[in-house]
Amino acid sequence: MTYTIRVSTTADEPTVSEILAASYSTLLAPYYAKDVLDRALPLMNKANPKLIGCGTYYVAEHSQGGLIGCGGWTHERPGSTEVVQGEAHVRHFATHPGWTRKGVAQSIMDRCRAEAVSQGVTRLHCYATLAAERFYHALGFETIERVNVRMRNDVDLPSVLMLCALPRHS
Ligand SMILES: CC(C)(COP(=O)(O)OP(=O)(O)OC[C@H]1O[C@@H](n2cnc3c(N)ncnc32)[C@H](O)[C@@H]1OP(=O)(O)O)[C@@H](O)C(=O)NCCC(=O)NCCS
């Protein structure tokens, strides 16, 4: 395959925002009511600069230039600074709609898992969109419960809390 996975930098912020916007607006549409997406997408479409520069967020870069996917993980719970020893959280996975089902997100997750294991993570949590539940299942995540992720006071996104056990670092 003609792409490589690398750690993102803050210089990738505009392109990551483009991928998030293209991916979410196209690939979430079959799974959510239009009014839900109209409220949620403006809050989801912009890359988080702190996340992009955190060292555990990755991009898939095409050999002919340009980014086609992104995703990563953090020790902190999304939206908080809480850290629980041995736990980590999947963050902002998206593949450009022109590049789905070519293993891009799986390659990024492989990189995430390898790095997380090396940092002592044994439980990887994920708040999956309804569109991504089958992707995470295919990669070994189990569904814990259906939840509403509060994005702002008046905006909830129906989501799925999922969990993947990772091997202990030897
Ligand atoms: C979920 C998403 C990141 C998957 O990206 P991708 O690069 O297409 O995934 P991969 O090609 O690595 O898929 C690996 C495997 O996961 C499973 N899978 C991926 N997408 C799937 C889908 N839509 N339906 C069912 N299974 C799927 C398949 O088993 C696939 O292997 P296969 O193609 O050989 O059958 C992408 O669909 C996306 O960006 N969705 C919208 C944004 C989103 O919801 N992000 C998640 C935020 S929590």
Side-chain angles (χ1 to χ4, degrees):
M1 187 40 83
T2 53
Y3 60 84
T4 52
I5 309 300
R6 65 165 171 82
V7 173
S8 61
T9 72
T10 50
D12 296 314
E13 194 186 324
T15 325
V16 169
S17 292
E18 282 172 27
I19 295 173
L20 295 178
S23 169
Y24 290 151
S25 63
T26 306
L27 300 172
L28 299 194
Y31 294 87
Y32 292 95
K34 184 175 178 308
D35 64 305
V36 173
L37 290 184
D38 285 347
R39 287 195 299 273
L41 289 184
L43 305 171
M44 300 167 69
N45 282 344
K46 203 167 167 349
N48 173 342
K50 195 172 162 217
L51 183 60
I52 304 293
C54 76
T56 54
Y57 196 80
Y58 306 92
V59 288
E61 186 162 43
H62 194 273
S63 58
Q64 292 176 350
L67 304 183
I68 57 175
C70 54
W73 65 278
T74 57
H75 290 287
E76 296 85 12
R77 229 175 121 91
S80 94
T81 53
E82 183 194 349
V83 172
V84 176
Q85 185 66 33
E87 294 192 358
H89 304 269
V90 170
R91 307 294 300 275
H92 299 198
F93 262 70
T95 297
H96 190 282
W99 288 91
T100 54
R101 303 304 289 264
K102 295 181 191 305
V104 171
Q106 182 160 15
S107 300
I108 295 175
M109 183 62 79
D110 287 347
R111 182 75 178 263
C112 288
R113 282 206 265 227
E115 183 60 27
V117 166
S118 79
Q119 293 192 31
V121 174
T122 55
R123 287 160 62 85
L124 194 51
H125 291 91
C126 175
Y127 286 99
T129 65
L130 303 181
E133 184 178 11
R134 284 183 295 172
F135 162 72
Y136 290 113
H137 262 151
L139 270 62
F141 284 73
E142 60 176 296
T143 296
I144 305 300
E145 59 178 340
R146 312 240 150 218
V147 291
N148 277 326
V149 171
R150 176 130 297 191
M151 314 198 66
R152 214 181 50 196
N153 278 348
D154 57 340
V155 184
D156 285 333
L157 188 73
S159 303
V160 188
L161 176 59
M162 303 186 76
L163 177 65
C164 183
L166 299 181
R168 285 190 186 279
H169 186 48
S170 50

